[in-house]
């Protein structure tokens, strides 16, 4: 399958034409833990990575493989790894490069779960996360030192919805020999981070890729565009002999296979040792989701733009947060990185503060009150009383959460029904 096809086409075709055993057109759910070896030689070759093939579903599975290939083609990468959640994907992205004593630099505009993982759990493992304000890309350079192994950011982070300056930070990183890892969860098909210089892309597939709120999953895609070998001692996990795999040096071992050192090591070391594979059933659900992703993203974007316009002229709304309504450098960054729409997320501020935010949410009839984003259904949450309630007022302000802030994840329902529900809930405030 040619990867020069358009993403809409790749989402339906890449990685699978028909099942090799049955000719089935739909991707089969290979609900199996293990795979019969043809012979002892075959088994030995598979374990020695002389031959690539199925061994055990903690490490690889044919249903997951189709999802991996499909997303690799859509993103323009070289290989991918499906894992059990977005959190597992973020953890693996960092642990694949950092050991105790190392550091990495991360945008302050990230999902709260990622923040906790980086600021607390990884800290306990001796890995330091240096958070910087992404509004000035140079902040990444300022805190980089010889122990900095990677940069990490989200393409379209909520609640601020300021698109991350991928190109500028990737360029800084490349000049210092530091790869940029992008969480593209909120912008699939709208932004391809590899086109702007990112080295690795990760997803919580739980959101738009699944699209129907049924399954938790994560994905890491290797751009194959970063010279790990040139980094030498900066990347010991990839350039030094691995005692847990007969002293393999991953950048050497992959030479016959292509530039897949990063993702192969993640599979055969982290997934092998720490677990967290994606289940074949969930991989099937994500493949189903992918088939209509292009249609859904178009509808999410169109509806969100209409919602932003509606809120922007509403008397009870003091401010709307939406990339399409930004101006100046922030808008220029959004336009440079997002093609085909500004995504499905819209934030807004109610003049009446926290009580108004709570009344608004309690008055919704169509929109769901949930903490999730990226579902086909429209969703709403009041962060100050829920997702960000453990933060101090000052921390909430830093995160862009004011008392009257409401976050919407606009779905694909008829726009008139979405606007009617928002309108009647605003009337109650
Ligand atoms: N990244 C982003 C941007 C998210 O919104 C989320 C979850 O909300 C995650 C990562 C974590 O993903 P998961 O819930 O699949 O573990």
């Amino acid at each position: 399958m040619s990867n020069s096809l358009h993403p809409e086409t790749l989402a339906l075709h890449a990685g699978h034409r028909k099942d090799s055993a049955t000719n089935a057109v739909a991707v089969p759910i290979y609900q199996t833990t293990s795979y019969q070896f043809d012979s002892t030689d075959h088994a030995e070759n598979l374990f020695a990575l002389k031959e690539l093939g199925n061994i055990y579903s903690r490490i690889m599975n044919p249903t997951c493989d189709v999802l991996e290939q499909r997303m690799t083609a859509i993103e323009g990468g070289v290989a991918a790894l499906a894992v059990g959640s977005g959190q597992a994907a973020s953890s693996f992205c960092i642990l694949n490069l950092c050991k105790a004593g190392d550091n990495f630099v991360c945008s302050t505009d990230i999902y709260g779960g990622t923040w906790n993982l980086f600021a607390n759990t990884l800290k306990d493992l001796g890995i330091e996360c240096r958070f910087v304000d992404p509004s000035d890309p140079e902040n990444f350079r300022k805190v980089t030192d010889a122990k900095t192994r990677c940069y990490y950011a989200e393409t379209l982070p909520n609640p601020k919805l300021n698109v991350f300056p991928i190109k500028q930070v990737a360029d800084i990183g490349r000049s210092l020999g530091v790869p940029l890892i992008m969480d593209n969860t909120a912008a699939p098909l709208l932004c391809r981070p590899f086109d702007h210089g990112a080295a690795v892309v990760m997803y919580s597939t739980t959101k738009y890729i699944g699209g129907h709120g049924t399954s938790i999953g994560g994905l890491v895609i290797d751009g194959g565009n970063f010279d790990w070998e040139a980094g030498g001692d900066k990347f010991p996990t990839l350039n030094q002999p691995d005692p847990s795999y007969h002293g393999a040096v991953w950048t050497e071992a992959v030479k016959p296979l292509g530039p897949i050192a990063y993702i192969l090591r993640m599979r055969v070391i982290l997934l092998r040792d720490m677990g967290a594979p994606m289940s074949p059933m969930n991989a099937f659900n994500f493949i189903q989701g992918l088939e209509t992703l292009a249609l859904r993203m178009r509808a999410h974007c169109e509806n969100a733009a209409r919602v932003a316009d509606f809120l922007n002229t509403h008397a009870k709304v003091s401010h709307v947060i939406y990339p399409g309504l930004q101006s100046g450098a922030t808008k220029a960054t959004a336009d440079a990185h997002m093609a085909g729409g500004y995504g499905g997320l819209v934030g807004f501020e109610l003049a009446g503060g926290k009580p108004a935010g709570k009344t608004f949410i309690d008055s919704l009839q169509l929109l769901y009150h949930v903490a999730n984003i990226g579902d086909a259904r429209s969703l709403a949450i009041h962060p100050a009383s829920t997702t960000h309630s453990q933060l101090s007022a000052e921390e909430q302000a830093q995160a862009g959460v004011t008392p009257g802030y409401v976050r919407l994840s606009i779905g694909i329902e008829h726009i008139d029904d979405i606007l009617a529900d928002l309108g009647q809930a605003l009337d109650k405030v």
Side-chain angles (χ1 to χ4, degrees), residues 298-356:
R298 213 172 297 149
H300 283 297
C301 289
E302 283 171 13
N303 280 352
R306 291 280 304 276
V307 166
D309 284 344
F310 168 78
L311 295 171
N312 206 25
T313 53
H314 199 285
K316 302 233 172 106
V317 175
S318 57
H319 182 48
V320 179
I321 297 110
Y322 174 70
L325 291 177
Q326 291 167 341
S327 58
T330 323
K331 175 79 173 357
T333 302
D335 287 338
H337 291 90
M338 306 282 284
Y342 297 110
L345 303 177
V346 181
F348 68 99
E349 172 112 24
L350 284 163
K354 187 169 172 178

Side-chain angles (χ1 to χ4, degrees), residues 80-211:
L81 180 67
V83 293
S85 67
Q87 286 298 100
S90 311
S91 307
F92 282 11
C93 279
I94 304 300
L95 293 174
N96 209 31
L97 296 173
C98 292
K99 295 186 176 189
D102 294 341
N103 71 70
F104 65 105
V105 186
C106 182
S107 164
T108 44
D109 292 353
I110 51 163
Y111 165 62
T114 314
W115 182 286
N116 277 334
L117 167 69
F118 289 178
N120 300 308
T121 303
L122 291 187
K123 184 178 172 198
D124 289 345
L125 298 180
I127 298 168
E128 181 198 355
C129 178
R130 299 179 173 175
F131 288 103
V132 295
D133 177 354
S135 59
D136 181 1
E138 286 298 322
N139 288 337
F140 280 78
R141 190 195 305 275
K142 283 179 197 152
V143 300
T144 301
D145 64 20
K147 289 273 186 186
T148 303
R149 304 289 179 242
C150 60
Y151 296 160
Y152 190 100
E154 284 179 23
T155 304
L156 179 61
N158 74 80
K160 288 185 192 161
L161 300 181
N162 290 343
V163 173
F164 184 78
I166 303 176
K167 169 142 182 33
Q168 289 88 333
V169 175
D171 285 352
I172 291 170
R174 284 180 186 271
S175 74
L176 301 172
V178 178
L180 173 63
I181 300 170
M182 287 305 306
D183 178 338
N184 205 41
T185 297
L189 298 181
L190 305 176
C191 175
R192 292 209 322 173
F194 295 142
D195 294 346
H196 306 285
V200 174
V201 170
M202 66 74 60
Y203 280 97
S204 164
T205 51
T206 313
K207 312 289 163 19
Y208 289 100
I209 290 173

